[in-house]
């Protein structure tokens, strides 16, 4: 995403809720692998889930967030954030949106 493009369109991402669950202790300087999955629906919000795993596969923590795209002038959420991100993202498939049409 190009932050200048977001600013020019007068839209911005907004985090509405984040839940962090700690499952296991991670030792200092411990390494983790992180997965990230986007869940797009038909409403004004989307969900992102992330899981943090120790090298042996043990689930250490999970994070779930609900977010949207805010119209900065009207102060309202845009109706289809996935469509907007698909249009703006250089690689929308990284957001779970598939390649740009056409």
């Amino acid at each position: 995403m190009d932050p200048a493009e977001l600013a020019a369109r007068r839209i911005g991402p907004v985090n509405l809720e984040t839940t962090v669950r700690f499952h296991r202790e991670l030792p200092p300087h411990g390494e983790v692998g992180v997965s990230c999955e986007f869940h797009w629906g038909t409403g004004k919000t989307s969900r992102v889930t992330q899981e943090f795993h120790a090298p042996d596969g043990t689930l250490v923590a999970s994070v779930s967030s609900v977010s949207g795209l805010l119209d900065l002038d009207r102060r309202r959420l845009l109706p289809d954030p996935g469509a907007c991100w698909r249009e703006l993202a250089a690689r929308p498939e990284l957001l779970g949106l598939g390649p740009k049409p056409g």
Side-chain angles (χ1 to χ4, degrees):
M1 266 44 95
D2 180 3
E5 180 67 21
L6 291 173
R9 291 180 183 226
R10 302 286 303 141
I11 58 175
V14 59
N15 186 32
L16 303 169
E17 172 186 313
T18 298
T19 302
V20 180
R21 290 190 173 91
F22 298 98
H23 301 279
R24 295 283 183 267
E25 183 177 6
L26 185 65
H29 306 289
E31 293 185 20
V32 295
V34 182
S35 67
C36 184
E37 187 174 343
F38 292 83
H39 308 273
W40 302 96
T42 58
K44 296 180 180 183
T45 63
S46 61
R47 182 174 294 277
V48 178
T49 55
Q50 296 172 299
E51 290 187 340
F52 297 73
H53 290 91
D56 68 359
T58 302
L59 180 63
V60 177
S62 56
V63 178
S64 177
S65 300
V66 176
S67 62
L69 273 174
L70 187 67
D71 178 316
L72 298 174
D73 296 320
R74 293 186 182 97
R75 310 307 289 177
R76 299 282 183 247
L77 292 175
L78 296 179
D80 186 358
C84 191
W85 284 125
R86 183 180 288 110
E87 181 183 333
L88 290 170
R91 295 187 55 200
E93 66 274 10
L94 296 177
L95 303 173
L97 291 168
K100 291 182 185 183

